[in-house]
Amino acid sequence: PPEVGCRVRERGLGCTAESPPKLSTMAPTVLMVAEKPSICNSIAQALSGGNHETHGRTPPVHVFRGTFAGQPAQIKVTSVVGHVFSTDFPSAYQSWDKTDPKDLFSAPVERIAEKKGIVH
């Protein structure tokens, strides 16, 4: 089977891909979450050598057997879709007729959850 390596630099951990995703329930599962589906697909392809199962469509979840930190593991690669948060100015700055654009450089910014129930 192909062996492709990766490195998680912050922790010095590595992973390699091996054959299909049939592991015992004792093996840990490693979840990798990409910024968008196309990056998820590229990561799964590179790490598994194309030897992975895919579940779902948007976002896909690619599953394959590999090693992580030197131990056998089930690797799952998926992605986020869309934005979790948006940003905006508070209501006091919403009127473009009453707000001097220079004030926006020092105005506070609010984070707003895009979908109710996603963020607690």
Side-chain angles (χ1 to χ4, degrees):
E3 218 168 62
V4 178
C6 75
R7 200 155 264 308
V8 179
R9 294 181 185 163
E10 295 81 19
R11 297 184 186 192
L13 303 175
C15 64
T16 58
E18 300 169 358
S19 46
K22 307 280 189 280
L23 287 180
S24 79
T25 56
M26 298 303 290
T29 298
V30 175
L31 176 63
M32 297 181 186
V33 181
E35 178 184 8
K36 54 188 176 179
S38 62
I39 301 299
C40 160
N41 296 339
S42 295
I43 291 170
Q45 181 68 27
L47 295 182
S48 72
N51 192 15
H52 60 269
E53 291 181 3
T54 301
H55 306 280
R57 294 186 65 196
T58 305
V61 179
H62 303 292
V63 183
F64 55 95
R65 201 171 124 182
T67 60
F68 185 76
Q71 300 296 316
Q74 180 179 38
I75 312 292
K76 293 185 177 185
V77 184
T78 190
S79 71
V80 294
V81 176
H83 297 275
V84 176
F85 285 102
S86 64
T87 56
D88 205 348
F89 294 107
S91 58
Y93 295 89
Q94 293 293 322
S95 173
W96 295 107
D97 295 332
K98 298 177 184 173
T99 302
D100 185 338
K102 290 186 297 186
D103 294 339
L104 297 176
F105 287 99
S106 60
V109 176
E110 297 175 337
R111 289 176 23 158
I112 302 157
E114 287 290 321
K115 292 182 181 177
K116 303 284 188 228
I118 290 179
V119 180
H120 298 282

